[in-house]
Amino acid sequence: MEQKPARVRIVDAAHQLMLTIGLARATTKEIARAAGCSEAALYKHFPSKEELFVAVLKERLPRLNPLLRRLIATPGVGERTVEQNLTEIARQAALFYEQSFPIAASLYAEPRLKERHNAVMRELGTGPHMPIRGLDAYLRSEQAAGRVRSDVDTYAAASLLLGACAQRAFAYEATEAGGPPQSLDAFAASVARTLMQGVGE
């Protein structure tokens, strides 16, 4: 059986280790060992662990930002309603937060490492604020197309939808049921429908 290219093995190994032991504890040495390559080979593909983390987010987690970019480029186009678009955004966002929380949570236990990580994210032009900006931009494009009310605070609306998705990933494991009260699809449809009652024309 042909071995995967080194870069693919590195991203796979990083994803698995970040999920199981967290971003803070997943060292480049451990990632390289799990990928079956040297640490020097890892650094040929990724100058820093933060850039490897960004690759994991982009290539192994649900693709929320590309969805938002596509919708921003085509507001009011096609047969899909704003509510249908928001439902798909909510679905992808809930999946993204569900899978990214275990990876990033360990950073909060190490403030210095978290600050270094945030500094690199700023240099790379990315971070957890980007989906809010993307959804805000999408809602503003729908405002311009006349499908979202002109008096709506689009940033607040984006924060409400994505905040609900993040809360779904974070809050429900401690309940008696051990998980969210709704299926993912039901949750996404309900959140989108509720938001549309406040923003729709």
Side-chain angles (χ1 to χ4, degrees), residues 17-73:
L17 282 169
M18 288 173 184
L19 277 175
T20 53
I21 65 174
L23 180 59
R25 293 177 59 201
T27 66
T28 53
K29 183 178 288 186
E30 288 175 344
I31 292 167
R33 185 185 309 120
C37 68
S38 67
E39 202 170 0
L42 183 150
Y43 282 116
K44 277 178 58 179
H45 294 281
F46 301 99
S48 69
K49 189 169 82 169
E50 287 76 18
E51 292 192 43
L52 178 51
F53 170 64
V54 171
V56 168
L57 292 184
K58 288 181 175 178
E59 298 173 27
R60 297 295 183 273
L61 270 59
R63 299 182 53 90
L64 177 57
N65 284 324
L67 170 63
L68 290 169
R69 284 194 294 271
R70 178 173 57 78
L71 292 174
I72 292 165

Side-chain angles (χ1 to χ4, degrees), residues 20-201:
T20 53
I21 65 174
L23 180 59
R25 293 177 59 201
T27 66
T28 53
K29 183 178 288 186
E30 288 175 344
I31 292 167
R33 185 185 309 120
C37 68
S38 67
E39 202 170 0
L42 183 150
Y43 282 116
K44 277 178 58 179
H45 294 281
F46 301 99
S48 69
K49 189 169 82 169
E50 287 76 18
E51 292 192 43
L52 178 51
F53 170 64
V54 171
V56 168
L57 292 184
K58 288 181 175 178
E59 298 173 27
R60 297 295 183 273
L61 270 59
R63 299 182 53 90
L64 177 57
N65 284 324
L67 170 63
L68 290 169
R69 284 194 294 271
R70 178 173 57 78
L71 292 174
I72 292 165
T74 56
V77 174
E79 298 178 1
R80 289 173 64 87
T81 65
V82 177
E83 184 174 329
Q84 288 171 325
N85 288 336
L86 290 176
T87 299
E88 181 58 19
I89 291 167
R91 188 176 185 285
Q92 290 298 317
L95 284 170
F96 176 82
Y97 290 126
E98 181 182 295
Q99 294 182 34
S100 62
F101 270 15
I103 292 174
S106 62
L107 282 176
Y108 288 84
E110 301 190 32
R112 287 183 184 172
L113 183 60
K114 183 174 182 296
E115 183 48 45
R116 176 174 162 268
H117 178 81
N118 287 344
V120 175
M121 292 298 102
R122 284 190 288 271
E123 288 174 17
L124 294 173
T126 189
H129 59 290
M130 296 303 287
I132 298 175
R133 286 186 181 176
L135 181 50
D136 175 36
Y138 164 65
L139 290 171
R140 281 188 280 111
S141 70
E142 291 289 15
Q143 256 181 343
R147 302 208 303 176
V148 166
R149 288 203 332 263
S150 61
D151 63 339
V152 166
D153 181 333
T154 55
Y155 188 85
S159 299
L160 287 168
L161 186 140
L162 293 176
C165 295
Q167 189 71 5
R168 184 182 189 274
F170 175 75
Y172 290 106
E173 287 186 4
T175 64
E176 298 82 359
Q182 295 173 295
S183 71
L184 176 61
D185 288 342
F187 164 82
S190 180
V191 167
R193 184 169 58 251
T194 302
L195 191 66
M196 280 304 299
Q197 290 172 359
V199 306
E201 280 289 7

